[in-house]
Amino acid sequence: MAGPSKSLVLDPALQKYYELNANRYKYFRWTPRHAWTSIIYAVAIPAALTLVAYKTEGMFELRGKRKGDTIVEW
């Protein structure tokens, strides 16, 4: 038969972990480490990706060859 049986014993450590994970927002506290991590993910990484995108704008030809195009680029 499929599904758990009546004799299934759940691991108490996993149950505690699942409860903590479901209620994580209740235990969250802003610390300097959390603040810096949030700044890195919210500001620094998008800014770096934007800078790279602007610096490489037009450097690469990403359009594929179409019917009738020559193979030679130059």
mmCIF file of all heavy atoms in Angstrom, residues 23-60:
data_model
loop_
_atom_site.group_PDB
_atom_site.id
_atom_site.type_symbol
_atom_site.label_atom_id
_atom_site.label_comp_id
_atom_site.label_asym_id
_atom_site.label_seq_id
_atom_site.Cartn_x
_atom_site.Cartn_y
_atom_site.Cartn_z
ATOM 1 N N ASN A 23 8.317 29.321 10.828
ATOM 2 C CA ASN A 23 8.128 30.521 11.648
ATOM 3 C C ASN A 23 9.369 31.399 11.690
ATOM 4 O O ASN A 23 9.572 32.136 12.652
ATOM 5 C CB ASN A 23 7.743 30.112 13.077
ATOM 6 C CG ASN A 23 6.445 29.373 13.097
ATOM 7 O OD1 ASN A 23 5.499 29.751 12.423
ATOM 8 N ND2 ASN A 23 6.395 28.287 13.855
ATOM 9 N N ARG A 24 10.184 31.326 10.656
ATOM 10 C CA ARG A 24 11.452 32.054 10.652
ATOM 11 C C ARG A 24 11.256 33.563 10.800
ATOM 12 O O ARG A 24 12.039 34.244 11.454
ATOM 13 C CB ARG A 24 12.214 31.750 9.368
ATOM 14 C CG ARG A 24 13.597 32.344 9.326
ATOM 15 C CD ARG A 24 14.338 31.915 8.079
ATOM 16 N NE ARG A 24 14.516 30.489 7.998
ATOM 17 C CZ ARG A 24 15.557 29.830 8.522
ATOM 18 N NH1 ARG A 24 16.467 30.493 9.179
ATOM 19 N NH2 ARG A 24 15.662 28.538 8.385
ATOM 20 N N TYR A 25 10.211 34.092 10.212
ATOM 21 C CA TYR A 25 9.990 35.535 10.268
ATOM 22 C C TYR A 25 9.751 36.019 11.703
ATOM 23 O O TYR A 25 9.996 37.173 12.018
ATOM 24 C CB TYR A 25 8.800 35.925 9.377
ATOM 25 C CG TYR A 25 7.470 35.439 9.883
ATOM 26 C CD1 TYR A 25 6.667 36.256 10.658
ATOM 27 C CD2 TYR A 25 7.025 34.151 9.596
ATOM 28 C CE1 TYR A 25 5.442 35.810 11.136
ATOM 29 C CE2 TYR A 25 5.814 33.702 10.056
ATOM 30 C CZ TYR A 25 5.026 34.534 10.827
ATOM 31 O OH TYR A 25 3.824 34.094 11.288
ATOM 32 N N LYS A 26 9.302 35.156 12.574
ATOM 33 C CA LYS A 26 9.058 35.550 13.962
ATOM 34 C C LYS A 26 10.363 35.720 14.734
ATOM 35 O O LYS A 26 10.408 36.438 15.731
ATOM 36 C CB LYS A 26 8.200 34.505 14.668
ATOM 37 C CG LYS A 26 6.806 34.391 14.120
ATOM 38 C CD LYS A 26 6.051 33.298 14.845
ATOM 39 C CE LYS A 26 4.680 33.096 14.243
ATOM 40 N NZ LYS A 26 3.985 31.961 14.877
ATOM 41 N N TYR A 27 11.412 35.019 14.302
ATOM 42 C CA TYR A 27 12.672 35.017 15.036
ATOM 43 C C TYR A 27 13.745 35.875 14.376
ATOM 44 O O TYR A 27 14.853 35.957 14.880
ATOM 45 C CB TYR A 27 13.192 33.579 15.175
ATOM 46 C CG TYR A 27 12.201 32.673 15.853
ATOM 47 C CD1 TYR A 27 11.493 31.737 15.116
ATOM 48 C CD2 TYR A 27 11.959 32.774 17.209
ATOM 49 C CE1 TYR A 27 10.570 30.904 15.725
ATOM 50 C CE2 TYR A 27 11.041 31.952 17.831
ATOM 51 C CZ TYR A 27 10.349 31.027 17.085
ATOM 52 O OH TYR A 27 9.434 30.215 17.684
ATOM 53 N N PHE A 28 13.416 36.519 13.250
ATOM 54 C CA PHE A 28 14.425 37.300 12.535
ATOM 55 C C PHE A 28 14.709 38.594 13.282
ATOM 56 O O PHE A 28 13.796 39.247 13.785
ATOM 57 C CB PHE A 28 13.950 37.618 11.123
ATOM 58 C CG PHE A 28 14.930 38.428 10.333
ATOM 59 C CD1 PHE A 28 16.030 37.836 9.770
ATOM 60 C CD2 PHE A 28 14.757 39.794 10.183
ATOM 61 C CE1 PHE A 28 16.937 38.574 9.043
ATOM 62 C CE2 PHE A 28 15.661 40.536 9.465
ATOM 63 C CZ PHE A 28 16.747 39.924 8.901
ATOM 64 N N ARG A 29 15.973 38.980 13.337
ATOM 65 C CA ARG A 29 16.372 40.224 13.969
ATOM 66 C C ARG A 29 17.443 40.878 13.098
ATOM 67 O O ARG A 29 18.351 40.216 12.615
ATOM 68 C CB ARG A 29 16.936 39.927 15.357
ATOM 69 C CG ARG A 29 17.280 41.172 16.124
ATOM 70 C CD ARG A 29 17.757 40.853 17.513
ATOM 71 N NE ARG A 29 16.702 40.104 18.208
ATOM 72 C CZ ARG A 29 16.898 39.456 19.336
ATOM 73 N NH1 ARG A 29 18.074 39.438 19.894
ATOM 74 N NH2 ARG A 29 15.916 38.795 19.902
ATOM 75 N N TRP A 30 17.305 42.180 12.881
ATOM 76 C CA TRP A 30 18.295 42.895 12.094
ATOM 77 C C TRP A 30 19.571 43.034 12.902
ATOM 78 O O TRP A 30 19.577 43.573 13.999
ATOM 79 C CB TRP A 30 17.793 44.275 11.691
ATOM 80 C CG TRP A 30 16.880 44.232 10.524
ATOM 81 C CD1 TRP A 30 15.549 44.366 10.537
ATOM 82 C CD2 TRP A 30 17.249 44.030 9.155
ATOM 83 N NE1 TRP A 30 15.041 44.250 9.267
ATOM 84 C CE2 TRP A 30 16.063 44.046 8.407
ATOM 85 C CE3 TRP A 30 18.464 43.813 8.493
ATOM 86 C CZ2 TRP A 30 16.063 43.871 7.032
ATOM 87 C CZ3 TRP A 30 18.449 43.645 7.139
ATOM 88 C CH2 TRP A 30 17.271 43.674 6.417
ATOM 89 N N THR A 31 20.653 42.555 12.329
ATOM 90 C CA THR A 31 21.975 42.692 12.917
ATOM 91 C C THR A 31 22.868 43.344 11.864
ATOM 92 O O THR A 31 22.488 43.455 10.692
ATOM 93 C CB THR A 31 22.549 41.318 13.301
ATOM 94 O OG1 THR A 31 22.680 40.530 12.116
ATOM 95 C CG2 THR A 31 21.645 40.599 14.295
ATOM 96 N N PRO A 32 24.038 43.812 12.240
ATOM 97 C CA PRO A 32 24.933 44.384 11.227
ATOM 98 C C PRO A 32 25.241 43.410 10.092
ATOM 99 O O PRO A 32 25.336 43.813 8.931
ATOM 100 C CB PRO A 32 26.196 44.725 12.023
ATOM 101 C CG PRO A 32 25.704 44.971 13.404
ATOM 102 C CD PRO A 32 24.561 44.006 13.599
ATOM 103 N N ARG A 33 25.364 42.141 10.400
ATOM 104 C CA ARG A 33 25.642 41.155 9.356
ATOM 105 C C ARG A 33 24.471 41.050 8.383
ATOM 106 O O ARG A 33 24.667 41.002 7.167
ATOM 107 C CB ARG A 33 25.922 39.797 9.989
ATOM 108 C CG ARG A 33 26.222 38.740 8.977
ATOM 109 C CD ARG A 33 26.489 37.419 9.630
ATOM 110 N NE ARG A 33 26.731 36.408 8.605
ATOM 111 C CZ ARG A 33 26.700 35.131 8.839
ATOM 112 N NH1 ARG A 33 26.458 34.673 10.048
ATOM 113 N NH2 ARG A 33 26.926 34.280 7.866
ATOM 114 N N HIS A 34 23.246 41.008 8.905
ATOM 115 C CA HIS A 34 22.078 40.949 8.032
ATOM 116 C C HIS A 34 21.960 42.213 7.193
ATOM 117 O O HIS A 34 21.576 42.156 6.017
ATOM 118 C CB HIS A 34 20.804 40.762 8.856
ATOM 119 C CG HIS A 34 20.656 39.405 9.434
ATOM 120 N ND1 HIS A 34 20.131 39.191 10.670
ATOM 121 C CD2 HIS A 34 20.964 38.177 8.955
ATOM 122 C CE1 HIS A 34 20.113 37.901 10.933
ATOM 123 N NE2 HIS A 34 20.628 37.265 9.905
ATOM 124 N N ALA A 35 22.264 43.357 7.786
ATOM 125 C CA ALA A 35 22.175 44.617 7.052
ATOM 126 C C ALA A 35 23.162 44.637 5.896
ATOM 127 O O ALA A 35 22.800 45.011 4.769
ATOM 128 C CB ALA A 35 22.429 45.780 8.005
ATOM 129 N N TRP A 36 24.404 44.249 6.142
ATOM 130 C CA TRP A 36 25.403 44.257 5.075
ATOM 131 C C TRP A 36 25.069 43.246 3.988
ATOM 132 O O TRP A 36 25.236 43.523 2.798
ATOM 133 C CB TRP A 36 26.804 43.987 5.630
ATOM 134 C CG TRP A 36 27.397 45.201 6.262
ATOM 135 C CD1 TRP A 36 27.678 45.394 7.570
ATOM 136 C CD2 TRP A 36 27.762 46.416 5.595
ATOM 137 N NE1 TRP A 36 28.190 46.641 7.764
ATOM 138 C CE2 TRP A 36 28.258 47.299 6.566
ATOM 139 C CE3 TRP A 36 27.711 46.838 4.273
ATOM 140 C CZ2 TRP A 36 28.699 48.574 6.264
ATOM 141 C CZ3 TRP A 36 28.158 48.128 3.966
ATOM 142 C CH2 TRP A 36 28.639 48.966 4.949
ATOM 143 N N THR A 37 24.581 42.085 4.375
ATOM 144 C CA THR A 37 24.198 41.091 3.385
ATOM 145 C C THR A 37 23.061 41.607 2.514
ATOM 146 O O THR A 37 23.071 41.432 1.296
ATOM 147 C CB THR A 37 23.772 39.780 4.074
ATOM 148 O OG1 THR A 37 24.842 39.337 4.909
ATOM 149 C CG2 THR A 37 23.447 38.704 3.063
ATOM 150 N N SER A 38 22.099 42.270 3.119
ATOM 151 C CA SER A 38 20.979 42.832 2.361
ATOM 152 C C SER A 38 21.453 43.921 1.413
ATOM 153 O O SER A 38 20.988 44.004 0.275
ATOM 154 C CB SER A 38 19.931 43.393 3.314
ATOM 155 O OG SER A 38 19.414 42.377 4.123
ATOM 156 N N ILE A 39 22.366 44.765 1.868
ATOM 157 C CA ILE A 39 22.901 45.823 1.005
ATOM 158 C C ILE A 39 23.648 45.223 -0.176
ATOM 159 O O ILE A 39 23.500 45.684 -1.313
ATOM 160 C CB ILE A 39 23.808 46.772 1.814
ATOM 161 C CG1 ILE A 39 22.949 47.606 2.769
ATOM 162 C CG2 ILE A 39 24.621 47.674 0.904
ATOM 163 C CD1 ILE A 39 23.731 48.412 3.761
ATOM 164 N N ILE A 40 24.427 44.190 0.075
ATOM 165 C CA ILE A 40 25.178 43.550 -1.004
ATOM 166 C C ILE A 40 24.227 43.004 -2.063
ATOM 167 O O ILE A 40 24.403 43.220 -3.258
ATOM 168 C CB ILE A 40 26.076 42.421 -0.441
ATOM 169 C CG1 ILE A 40 27.168 42.999 0.428
ATOM 170 C CG2 ILE A 40 26.669 41.580 -1.562
ATOM 171 C CD1 ILE A 40 28.184 43.848 -0.283
ATOM 172 N N TYR A 41 23.189 42.282 -1.617
ATOM 173 C CA TYR A 41 22.264 41.666 -2.567
ATOM 174 C C TYR A 41 21.336 42.682 -3.229
ATOM 175 O O TYR A 41 20.929 42.485 -4.373
ATOM 176 C CB TYR A 41 21.425 40.584 -1.882
ATOM 177 C CG TYR A 41 22.178 39.300 -1.692
ATOM 178 C CD1 TYR A 41 22.428 38.794 -0.427
ATOM 179 C CD2 TYR A 41 22.655 38.581 -2.777
ATOM 180 C CE1 TYR A 41 23.116 37.614 -0.245
ATOM 181 C CE2 TYR A 41 23.348 37.402 -2.610
ATOM 182 C CZ TYR A 41 23.575 36.923 -1.344
ATOM 183 O OH TYR A 41 24.260 35.760 -1.177
ATOM 184 N N ALA A 42 20.979 43.743 -2.530
ATOM 185 C CA ALA A 42 19.999 44.696 -3.072
ATOM 186 C C ALA A 42 20.639 45.828 -3.859
ATOM 187 O O ALA A 42 19.986 46.408 -4.727
ATOM 188 C CB ALA A 42 19.160 45.266 -1.935
ATOM 189 N N VAL A 43 21.900 46.165 -3.567
ATOM 190 C CA VAL A 43 22.514 47.327 -4.208
ATOM 191 C C VAL A 43 23.774 46.966 -4.991
ATOM 192 O O VAL A 43 23.882 47.282 -6.176
ATOM 193 C CB VAL A 43 22.844 48.417 -3.151
ATOM 194 C CG1 VAL A 43 23.557 49.588 -3.781
ATOM 195 C CG2 VAL A 43 21.581 48.872 -2.442
ATOM 196 N N ALA A 44 24.722 46.315 -4.343
ATOM 197 C CA ALA A 44 26.034 46.117 -4.948
ATOM 198 C C ALA A 44 25.991 45.181 -6.155
ATOM 199 O O ALA A 44 26.585 45.492 -7.201
ATOM 200 C CB ALA A 44 27.012 45.580 -3.907
ATOM 201 N N ILE A 45 25.307 44.066 -6.051
ATOM 202 C CA ILE A 45 25.275 43.114 -7.166
ATOM 203 C C ILE A 45 24.528 43.687 -8.370
ATOM 204 O O ILE A 45 25.044 43.625 -9.490
ATOM 205 C CB ILE A 45 24.711 41.760 -6.700
ATOM 206 C CG1 ILE A 45 25.706 41.109 -5.748
ATOM 207 C CG2 ILE A 45 24.418 40.859 -7.886
ATOM 208 C CD1 ILE A 45 25.242 39.817 -5.138
ATOM 209 N N PRO A 46 23.329 44.277 -8.206
ATOM 210 C CA PRO A 46 22.683 44.892 -9.378
ATOM 211 C C PRO A 46 23.504 46.032 -9.977
ATOM 212 O O PRO A 46 23.546 46.193 -11.198
ATOM 213 C CB PRO A 46 21.351 45.397 -8.840
ATOM 214 C CG PRO A 46 21.063 44.540 -7.673
ATOM 215 C CD PRO A 46 22.398 44.239 -7.068
ATOM 216 N N ALA A 47 24.172 46.815 -9.136
ATOM 217 C CA ALA A 47 25.004 47.905 -9.655
ATOM 218 C C ALA A 47 26.177 47.354 -10.462
ATOM 219 O O ALA A 47 26.509 47.886 -11.535
ATOM 220 C CB ALA A 47 25.515 48.772 -8.504
ATOM 221 N N ALA A 48 26.802 46.293 -9.986
ATOM 222 C CA ALA A 48 27.919 45.692 -10.714
ATOM 223 C C ALA A 48 27.450 45.101 -12.047
ATOM 224 O O ALA A 48 28.122 45.274 -13.074
ATOM 225 C CB ALA A 48 28.582 44.617 -9.862
ATOM 226 N N LEU A 49 26.307 44.430 -12.040
ATOM 227 C CA LEU A 49 25.787 43.867 -13.288
ATOM 228 C C LEU A 49 25.414 44.972 -14.279
ATOM 229 O O LEU A 49 25.641 44.829 -15.485
ATOM 230 C CB LEU A 49 24.581 42.981 -13.004
ATOM 231 C CG LEU A 49 24.885 41.676 -12.284
ATOM 232 C CD1 LEU A 49 23.598 40.947 -11.941
ATOM 233 C CD2 LEU A 49 25.795 40.805 -13.118
ATOM 234 N N THR A 50 24.858 46.064 -13.790
ATOM 235 C CA THR A 50 24.525 47.196 -14.660
ATOM 236 C C THR A 50 25.788 47.805 -15.254
ATOM 237 O O THR A 50 25.826 48.132 -16.448
ATOM 238 C CB THR A 50 23.748 48.263 -13.875
ATOM 239 O OG1 THR A 50 22.581 47.651 -13.311
ATOM 240 C CG2 THR A 50 23.351 49.422 -14.756
ATOM 241 N N LEU A 51 26.820 47.961 -14.443
ATOM 242 C CA LEU A 51 28.088 48.514 -14.936
ATOM 243 C C LEU A 51 28.682 47.621 -16.023
ATOM 244 O O LEU A 51 29.113 48.109 -17.072
ATOM 245 C CB LEU A 51 29.070 48.659 -13.772
ATOM 246 C CG LEU A 51 30.440 49.203 -14.139
ATOM 247 C CD1 LEU A 51 30.324 50.645 -14.594
ATOM 248 C CD2 LEU A 51 31.385 49.072 -12.968
ATOM 249 N N VAL A 52 28.679 46.321 -15.806
ATOM 250 C CA VAL A 52 29.200 45.391 -16.806
ATOM 251 C C VAL A 52 28.363 45.458 -18.082
ATOM 252 O O VAL A 52 28.900 45.449 -19.196
ATOM 253 C CB VAL A 52 29.238 43.952 -16.242
ATOM 254 C CG1 VAL A 52 29.482 42.931 -17.334
ATOM 255 C CG2 VAL A 52 30.287 43.848 -15.167
ATOM 256 N N ALA A 53 27.050 45.570 -17.939
ATOM 257 C CA ALA A 53 26.183 45.641 -19.111
ATOM 258 C C ALA A 53 26.459 46.901 -19.922
ATOM 259 O O ALA A 53 26.521 46.859 -21.154
ATOM 260 C CB ALA A 53 24.720 45.605 -18.677
ATOM 261 N N TYR A 54 26.635 48.041 -19.257
ATOM 262 C CA TYR A 54 26.919 49.279 -19.985
ATOM 263 C C TYR A 54 28.306 49.267 -20.622
ATOM 264 O O TYR A 54 28.497 49.811 -21.709
ATOM 265 C CB TYR A 54 26.788 50.491 -19.061
ATOM 266 C CG TYR A 54 25.363 50.961 -18.926
ATOM 267 C CD1 TYR A 54 24.716 50.915 -17.708
ATOM 268 C CD2 TYR A 54 24.657 51.464 -20.017
ATOM 269 C CE1 TYR A 54 23.405 51.331 -17.577
ATOM 270 C CE2 TYR A 54 23.355 51.886 -19.904
ATOM 271 C CZ TYR A 54 22.729 51.824 -18.675
ATOM 272 O OH TYR A 54 21.445 52.244 -18.560
ATOM 273 N N LYS A 55 29.284 48.675 -19.945
ATOM 274 C CA LYS A 55 30.643 48.634 -20.499
ATOM 275 C C LYS A 55 30.734 47.730 -21.722
ATOM 276 O O LYS A 55 31.566 47.951 -22.593
ATOM 277 C CB LYS A 55 31.634 48.146 -19.433
ATOM 278 C CG LYS A 55 31.841 49.107 -18.308
ATOM 279 C CD LYS A 55 32.598 50.316 -18.768
ATOM 280 C CE LYS A 55 32.893 51.225 -17.590
ATOM 281 N NZ LYS A 55 33.594 52.427 -17.969
ATOM 282 N N THR A 56 29.917 46.685 -21.787
ATOM 283 C CA THR A 56 29.996 45.741 -22.901
ATOM 284 C C THR A 56 28.898 45.969 -23.934
ATOM 285 O O THR A 56 28.702 45.124 -24.812
ATOM 286 C CB THR A 56 29.910 44.294 -22.382
ATOM 287 O OG1 THR A 56 28.669 44.119 -21.704
ATOM 288 C CG2 THR A 56 31.060 43.976 -21.456
ATOM 289 N N GLU A 57 28.190 47.072 -23.839
ATOM 290 C CA GLU A 57 27.107 47.363 -24.783
ATOM 291 C C GLU A 57 27.654 47.456 -26.206
ATOM 292 O O GLU A 57 28.552 48.242 -26.505
ATOM 293 C CB GLU A 57 26.427 48.674 -24.404
ATOM 294 C CG GLU A 57 25.338 49.109 -25.343
ATOM 295 C CD GLU A 57 24.103 48.233 -25.241
ATOM 296 O OE1 GLU A 57 23.874 47.659 -24.177
ATOM 297 O OE2 GLU A 57 23.395 48.137 -26.247
ATOM 298 N N GLY A 58 27.150 46.640 -27.100
ATOM 299 C CA GLY A 58 27.535 46.684 -28.507
ATOM 300 C C GLY A 58 28.841 46.000 -28.839
ATOM 301 O O GLY A 58 29.270 46.033 -29.992
ATOM 302 N N MET A 59 29.506 45.382 -27.884
ATOM 303 C CA MET A 59 30.795 44.742 -28.160
ATOM 304 C C MET A 59 30.627 43.393 -28.860
ATOM 305 O O MET A 59 31.514 42.966 -29.594
ATOM 306 C CB MET A 59 31.578 44.528 -26.865
ATOM 307 C CG MET A 59 32.100 45.805 -26.242
ATOM 308 S SD MET A 59 32.988 45.490 -24.719
ATOM 309 C CE MET A 59 34.488 44.772 -25.346
ATOM 310 N N PHE A 60 29.520 42.738 -28.645
ATOM 311 C CA PHE A 60 29.335 41.389 -29.152
ATOM 312 C C PHE A 60 28.141 41.354 -30.094
ATOM 313 O O PHE A 60 27.137 42.008 -29.858
ATOM 314 C CB PHE A 60 29.115 40.411 -28.003
ATOM 315 C CG PHE A 60 30.216 40.435 -26.990
ATOM 316 C CD1 PHE A 60 30.019 41.049 -25.761
ATOM 317 C CD2 PHE A 60 31.443 39.869 -27.256
ATOM 318 C CE1 PHE A 60 31.030 41.086 -24.822
ATOM 319 C CE2 PHE A 60 32.456 39.899 -26.326
ATOM 320 C CZ PHE A 60 32.255 40.506 -25.106
#
